[in-house]
Amino acid sequence: GIQVEQSPPDLILQEGANSTLRCNFSDSVNNLQWFHQNPWGQLINLFYIPSGTKQNGRLSATTVATERYSLLYISSSQTTDSGVYFCAVVRYGGSQGNLIFGKGTKLSVKP
Amino acid sequence: GAGVSQTPSNKVTEKGKYVELRCDPISGHTALYWYRQSLGQGPEFLIYFQGTGAADDSGLPNDRFFAVRPEGSVSTLKIQRTERGDSAVYLCASSLPGQVQDTQYFGPGTRLTVL
């Protein structure tokens, strides 16, 4: 099956710093989403981005489908950004409901 | 409006018992998904419903796991003869396929502990 690899696995930032999280995937996809799981376990959808670039406030994401990777940028990080960031994909031609998640990047933002 | 809700939030049971986990999707969402998340891992797909029928149940680990959605809204995940390895957080999500690019909205999860 399709492999989803995220890096780095852990990241510690000082408040106000910027960061880039990476997601590599091993096969073509027709659905890619970024999620934030807060320290209480709630998963929040950040972006649906199978290709191209999107921005939402301090967050932006870029997916280069032909090169099979996606990047999530966090600018001017805040302590509330802490948690685990997951990339999830649906393999091209696969069941649209079957999101395959990476293992996540655990982000800790220190005040 | 209200988000996806799941009950109970926590369930502790003994090995060999039967459990039911409930999911109430966002009103009007036709698609419903179940995932399982073990500590330190990403969610793992279990089953996906489109309306009342299971469109993809390829993630169910074995025949002890079963899920229903009889009226196309609320869903119940049923686990028979629970094992300690079933301990995890069970997440439910819903979406409007074809709308909002199939964005899945997740509930808070049910933490299942099998003793």
Side-chain angles (χ1 to χ4, degrees):
Chain A
I2 190 169
Q3 304 299 312
V4 181
E5 295 182 356
Q6 292 186 243
S7 59
D10 295 278
L11 185 59
I12 299 175
L13 297 177
Q14 206 64 35
E15 196 168 28
N18 303 329
S19 63
T20 301
L21 282 56
R22 186 176 180 101
C23 171
N24 292 333
F25 41 96
S26 61
D27 204 346
S28 299
V29 300
N30 59 9
N31 185 335
L32 187 147
Q33 300 182 32
W34 282 97
F35 293 88
H36 174 222
Q37 189 166 42
N38 66 25
W40 297 270
Q42 180 67 53
L43 267 169
I44 304 295
N45 186 285
L46 298 175
F47 294 103
Y48 168 87
I49 188 164
S51 64
T53 297
K54 290 186 177 179
Q55 180 158 5
N56 184 1
R58 295 182 296 103
L59 303 180
S60 63
T62 295
T63 297
V64 183
T66 54
E67 296 188 20
R68 300 182 182 169
Y69 73 88
S70 182
L71 302 174
L72 178 69
Y73 306 97
I74 304 174
S75 64
S76 304
S77 59
Q78 301 175 358
T79 56
T80 53
D81 295 332
S82 296
V84 183
Y85 289 81
F86 289 104
C87 169
V89 304
V90 174
R91 179 180 57 82
Y92 185 80
S95 164
Q96 190 59 25
N98 189 338
L99 271 177
I100 307 298
F101 282 75
K103 291 188 175 182
T105 291
K106 184 176 181 180
L107 174 65
S108 300
V109 181
K110 304 299 185 184
Chain B
V4 177
S5 63
Q6 293 186 245
T7 54
S9 55
N10 282 284
K11 176 70 177 179
V12 180
T13 191
E14 294 179 343
K15 180 176 179 295
K17 299 290 188 183
Y18 167 83
V19 297
E20 290 189 351
L21 311 178
R22 176 187 168 108
C23 173
D24 281 86
I26 293 172
S27 178
H29 278 194
T30 56
L32 185 146
Y33 317 81
W34 283 99
Y35 293 85
R36 177 169 70 174
Q37 186 174 23
S38 301
L39 194 63
Q41 303 294 317
E44 172 191 19
F45 171 80
L46 296 177
I47 185 169
Y48 152 50
F49 287 90
Q50 180 59 263
T52 60
D56 183 353
D57 64 358
S58 62
L60 294 177
N62 51 58
D63 61 5
R64 295 186 299 105
F65 289 75
F66 190 70
V68 296
R69 196 185 185 201
E71 298 179 356
S73 179
V74 170
S75 176
T76 304
L77 178 66
K78 307 180 180 191
I79 310 174
Q80 298 177 323
R81 303 183 305 279
T82 51
E83 300 177 357
R84 293 194 179 89
D86 298 335
S87 297
V89 176
Y90 288 81
L91 296 164
C92 176
S94 69
S95 75
L96 275 172
Q99 305 287 331
V100 201
Q101 297 111 355
D102 297 326
T103 299
Q104 295 189 21
Y105 298 89
F106 280 78
T110 293
R111 182 175 298 278
L112 175 66
T113 303
V114 182
L115 301 177

